[in-house]
Amino acid sequence: MGIIDKLKYQWKTGSMLVKLVFINIAVFILLHLVTLIMMFAGVDAGSVLAEVELPSSVEALLRRPWTLVTYMFAQYDLFHILFNMLWLYWFGVIFLLADTSKRMLALYIYCGLGGALLFMAYYNAMNMYGLLIGSSASVIGIVTATAIRHPDYKMGLLFIGEISLKWLAVITIAIDMFSIGGSNAGGHVAHIGGALTGALYAVAQKKGVDITRPFNALIDGIVNLWRYISTPRKKAAPRKQNAKKAQTTESRVADESTLDEILDKVKKSGYGALSKEEKQKLFDISRKIK
C-alpha cells in the first residue's frame, strides 16, 4: 500500500480528530504551493493569505465572509501548525474518551467563532486593524473543555514530568492574558475567546446541556438531504436483506444506549469511576459508531 493509499485509508477510517488534523495540514501545504506558484508568476503572494485570513474590520469581513471559517483551518508558519496540531491531537484523544466526534467538530467551529468574535471586538474597541490566521482559538477551546471535564487527568511532558490537565489549561490561558500587550495581541485575544467558548461547552455538558446540538442537527439535516438527492432510487430489498438491516439497526441502537449510559456516568463521577469492563465497552462502542 502506497503513501497515498495509506492516507486515504486513514481519512476514511479515522475519527473526526484525524480528519481535522488532515484538513489543517492539507491547507498548510496548499497555501505554500499556491504562494510558490504566484511568486514564480510575479504575483504578490500576500494576496493568497488575504483570502483566508480573518480581518478585524466588519466592512472587510462583509467582502470576504468565508474568512470567518477559513482562518481557523489555515496556518502558514511551520512551528505554528506543528504546535497547534500536537496540542489538538494530544487533547483530542482525551476529549474523545467521554465525547463524540460530532461534538468535537462542532466545538472546534464554535471555539473558532468565539475567538474570531472576541478578536474583532477587541480590535474595533481599540480602533485598530489586524488580520487573524490559525487554528489556535479552536485548539485552545478544546484544550480548555478537556481540562474542565478531566481536570485530574495527567499528561507527561518532556523535562517536566506528569502534570494535571487543569494546570496545563491555567498556565496556557495565563500566558495568553499576559501576552495581550505584545506584538501578537490579536492572536492571544482570540485564544481567550476560544478558551471561554470551550469552558462554556464543558460547564454546560456537566449540567446535561449540549450546546453543540443545534450545529449537529443542522449538519445531519444537510447530510441526509444530500444523501437523499444523490442516492439513486432502488427497488425494495428482499425480506432477508431487510431483516438483516433491521437487526443491524437494533444493534446500533443498543450500542448507542449503552454509550449514553456510560457517558452519563462519566459526567456525574468522572472517567476514573468507570470499571475496567465499562472502559472497554466505551472504547469498543466509540470505535464502532464514530
Side-chain angles (χ1 to χ4, degrees), residues 19 21 27 47 54 101 110 121 137 144 162 259 268 285:
K19 290 180 172 62
V21 172
V27 173
S47 60
L54 175 73
S101 285
Y110 278 16
T144 304
E162 290 191 341
L259 179 61
K268 294 176 181 178
I285 296 174

Side-chain angles (χ1 to χ4, degrees), residues 71 84 108 111-112 114-116 132 134-142 187 190-191 193-195:
Y71 98 89
N84 281 340
Y108 185 99
C111 292
L132 182 64
S135 60
S136 299
S138 296
V139 173
I140 294 298
I142 291 176
H191 296 177

Side-chain angles (χ1 to χ4, degrees), residues 23-25 27-28 31 49 52-53 69-77 80-81 84 108 132-136:
I23 292 171
N24 276 272
I25 294 175
V27 173
F28 173 80
L31 282 176
L49 291 180
V52 295
E53 291 177 312
V69 175
T70 58
Y71 98 89
M72 67 181 79
F73 292 96
Q75 278 96 179
Y76 196 76
D77 180 75
H80 192 191
I81 189 171
N84 281 340
Y108 185 99
L132 182 64
I133 188 172
S135 60
S136 299

Side-chain angles (χ1 to χ4, degrees), residues 143-248:
V143 167
T144 304
T146 305
I148 292 176
R149 300 202 67 193
H150 308 281
D152 297 317
Y153 191 103
K154 295 185 183 297
M155 178 179 286
L157 297 181
L158 188 64
F159 305 124
I160 297 177
E162 290 191 341
I163 182 172
S164 298
L165 296 190
K166 60 186 176 185
W167 294 117
L168 272 177
V170 168
I171 292 170
T172 302
I173 295 171
I175 290 174
D176 281 317
M177 293 186 70
F178 286 117
S179 301
I180 290 178
S183 59
N184 187 28
H188 294 295
V189 168
H191 296 177
I192 294 172
L196 290 174
T197 308
L200 174 63
Y201 168 82
V203 172
Q205 279 291 93
K206 285 190 173 184
K207 294 181 179 180
V209 179
D210 179 14
I211 65 172
T212 66
R213 189 182 298 276
F215 177 87
N216 286 325
L218 175 63
I219 296 300
D220 287 343
I222 294 173
V223 170
N224 290 334
L225 178 61
W226 171 252
R227 286 175 178 171
Y228 178 79
I229 294 173
S230 60
T231 302
R233 300 296 175 265
K234 297 180 180 179
K235 295 181 180 179
R239 291 183 179 181
K240 289 185 178 179
Q241 291 184 7
N242 286 335
K244 185 176 180 181
K245 185 176 180 181
Q247 187 178 6
T248 302

Side-chain angles (χ1 to χ4, degrees), residues 96-135:
L96 290 175
L97 288 175
D99 234 316
T100 65
S101 285
K102 283 185 176 182
R103 289 175 185 162
M104 169 172 276
L105 173 61
L107 183 60
Y108 185 99
I109 300 295
Y110 278 16
C111 292
L113 293 176
L117 292 176
L118 194 59
F119 163 78
M120 294 185 68
Y122 174 80
Y123 267 73
N124 282 278
M126 300 296 291
N127 197 26
M128 300 188 301
Y129 180 80
L131 295 166
L132 182 64
I133 188 172
S135 60

Side-chain angles (χ1 to χ4, degrees), residues 15-122:
S15 67
M16 182 54 64
L17 173 60
V18 173
K19 290 180 172 62
L20 285 173
V21 172
F22 271 36
I23 292 171
N24 276 272
I25 294 175
V27 173
F28 173 80
I29 295 173
L30 182 62
L31 282 176
H32 278 272
L33 286 176
V34 174
T35 298
L36 187 62
I37 292 172
M38 294 187 70
M39 286 177 61
F40 280 116
V43 182
D44 179 20
S47 60
V48 177
L49 291 180
E51 293 301 316
V52 295
E53 291 177 312
L54 175 73
S56 60
S57 165
V58 176
E59 291 79 11
L61 178 62
L62 291 175
R63 291 195 297 271
R64 298 193 298 274
W66 57 86
T67 59
L68 195 59
V69 175
T70 58
Y71 98 89
M72 67 181 79
F73 292 96
Q75 278 96 179
Y76 196 76
D77 180 75
L78 177 61
F79 288 103
H80 192 191
I81 189 171
L82 180 62
F83 179 83
N84 281 340
M85 294 304 100
L86 284 174
W87 273 63
L88 175 60
Y89 187 78
W90 289 338
F91 281 84
V93 169
I94 302 170
F95 178 91
L96 290 175
L97 288 175
D99 234 316
T100 65
S101 285
K102 283 185 176 182
R103 289 175 185 162
M104 169 172 276
L105 173 61
L107 183 60
Y108 185 99
I109 300 295
Y110 278 16
C111 292
L113 293 176
L117 292 176
L118 194 59
F119 163 78
M120 294 185 68
Y122 174 80

